[in-house]
Amino acid sequence: MEYTAEKIRALKAEKDAVILAHYYAPDEAQAVADYVGDSFYLAKAATETRSQTIVFCGVHFMGESAKILNPSRRVLMPDLTADCAMAHMATEEQIKKLRAEVRDLAVVCYINSTARLKSLSDVCVTSSNAVKIARALPEKNILFIPDQNLGEYVAAQVPEKNFYFSGGYCPVHAHLTEESVLAAKAAHPAAEVLTHPECTEKVRAASDFIGSTAEIIARAEKSGAAEFIVCTEPGVLFELRRRCPGKKFYPAAPECLDMKRNTLAGIGNCLASGSGEVVLEEADIRAAERPLRRMLELAK
Ligand code: 13P
Ligand code: SF4
């Protein structure tokens, strides 16, 4: 069946549903969403909705987090196979080994992780609150999972703590190299370089601003510059162009193909038939809820 934005709006009302979309979701998904934002904003939005059904246009860990934070709601995803490769890049063994070896240790889990990894952790973070939360924790030692690039970015700003890493990375952001950013700067010398902290240290060092997707958008709005090289997934250009119509944006990173699985057809199908439901065991919800709630508390 062919779905238009109008048809999706009618289905949303009929099914008492709300649509959440990450900035990396396709333009067509962002255009019909009730909430569009970064990972932190969307996690909070999931706790606040009164609608019976949440359609989450993101990757699987995001749908899981929405279900964990609002278990009485039905959470649907346009494509349940949309997964974040990095979400699996830490192991139970790594966590258990370090917990046994290092005293005064907190396991800090980037929200880009499976529910299982969250349940083994002390607190979750997103890229917009990781520095604040790492500083606020009472422990001297931190095992940061799974993203080593974000972890190293946080560690540089929290020098009073010792950091350990599990070695994970985002394949989309890791694709960007110092050379590719320098070449983009040479082609657009007046442009500011806006970079997500999931990028490597060398890419971050070649940048003018580092922040989460929401922070990148806020920076572009406030900045006096007229051109920007965008070192994160190019889905953010939809909101950047909407909010800054007079400014130019040059995408530097490749697309996250999993995020692009959230098509209008997929949204329509899951709304119409109830397919793509995120199902978690009660015990798994309870175990992963604690670090997510602690994040919401510490990020206030
Ligand atoms: P933020 O939404 O925190 O900017 O993270 C980006 C990301 O990679 C989500 O998958
Ligand atoms: Fe995961 Fe990277 Fe895609 Fe974000 S952009 S969902 S971190 S693979």
Side-chain angles (χ1 to χ4, degrees):
M1 166 153 191
E2 180 96 5
Y3 288 100
T4 58
E6 201 181 325
K7 177 87 184 131
I8 300 280
R9 273 184 214 108
L11 272 171
K12 232 172 33 175
E14 184 192 321
K15 306 284 180 182
D16 185 22
V18 67
I19 301 180
L20 275 56
H22 191 272
Y23 287 130
Y24 297 164
D27 296 0
E28 65 197 36
Q30 295 189 48
V32 295
D34 301 282
Y35 298 86
V36 183
D38 71 356
S39 304
F40 183 54
Y41 173 82
L42 294 174
K44 276 194 302 182
T47 65
E48 287 159 12
T49 181
R50 285 158 189 251
S51 304
Q52 280 313 307
T53 296
I54 298 171
V55 174
F56 210 120
C57 302
V59 284
H60 198 262
F61 77 82
M62 296 180 172
E64 270 184 355
S65 299
K67 183 69 188 172
I68 292 162
L69 288 168
N70 210 341
S72 66
R73 303 296 190 262
R74 184 172 67 146
V75 177
L76 306 178
M77 298 192 68
D79 186 337
L80 265 184
T81 69
D83 197 11
C84 168
M86 182 168 62
H88 308 270
M89 291 187 189
T91 65
E92 193 162 340
E93 289 65 41
Q94 282 175 311
I95 298 171
K96 286 189 172 152
K97 186 166 179 287
L98 213 71
R99 281 205 193 274
E101 284 171 5
V102 178
R103 292 167 68 91
D104 196 22
L105 179 82
V107 179
V108 175
C109 185
Y110 191 25
I111 198 165
N112 296 38
S113 51
T114 59
R116 176 70 185 148
L117 287 176
K118 287 183 178 74
S119 70
L120 299 169
S121 305
D122 297 297
V123 66
C124 291
V125 296
T126 74
S127 59
S128 62
N129 59 35
V131 171
K132 182 176 181 180
I133 291 177
R135 273 199 195 117
L137 290 172
E139 290 86 356
K140 173 87 180 154
N141 300 304
I142 290 179
L143 168 59
F144 195 101
I145 61 167
D147 188 2
Q148 181 143 348
N149 288 318
L150 175 64
E152 286 176 352
Y153 170 72
V154 175
Q157 291 172 78
V158 190
E160 67 275 21
K161 307 216 172 182
N162 300 321
F163 281 76
Y164 301 83
F165 305 104
S166 64
Y169 62 94
C170 160
V172 171
H173 290 89
H175 192 86
L176 277 160
T177 60
E178 183 188 19
E179 293 70 35
S180 65
V181 176
L182 293 179
K185 278 169 82 159
H188 308 290
E192 247 185 37
V193 182
L194 309 178
T195 294
H196 198 279
E198 287 178 16
C199 290
T200 63
E201 205 277 325
K202 284 189 169 164
V203 169
R204 295 196 305 271
S207 305
D208 299 298
F209 176 84
I210 299 158
S212 71
T213 47
E215 289 166 340
I216 284 175
I217 292 163
R219 166 70 178 203
E221 258 189 315
K222 265 201 300 210
S223 167
E227 296 176 58
F228 302 86
I229 295 161
V230 183
C231 297
T232 191
E233 209 278 345
V236 294
L237 269 74
F238 183 70
E239 185 68 8
L240 283 167
R241 289 182 175 136
R242 198 179 70 76
R243 291 220 219 154
C244 314
K247 300 187 176 181
K248 275 194 179 153
F249 298 98
Y250 308 113
E255 289 187 332
C256 174
L257 297 181
D258 282 273
M259 283 285 187
K260 301 309 178 213
R261 292 180 188 272
N262 295 286
T263 59
L264 209 55
I267 297 170
N269 284 337
C270 76
L271 269 173
S273 68
S275 60
E277 182 166 358
V278 176
V279 181
L280 291 169
E281 296 288 332
E282 196 62 40
D284 296 339
I285 290 180
R286 274 199 302 275
E289 186 187 357
R290 183 187 36 82
L292 275 169
R293 293 250 174 242
R294 195 168 176 214
M295 171 186 78
L296 295 176
E297 209 38 53
L298 287 174
K300 272 184 190 159

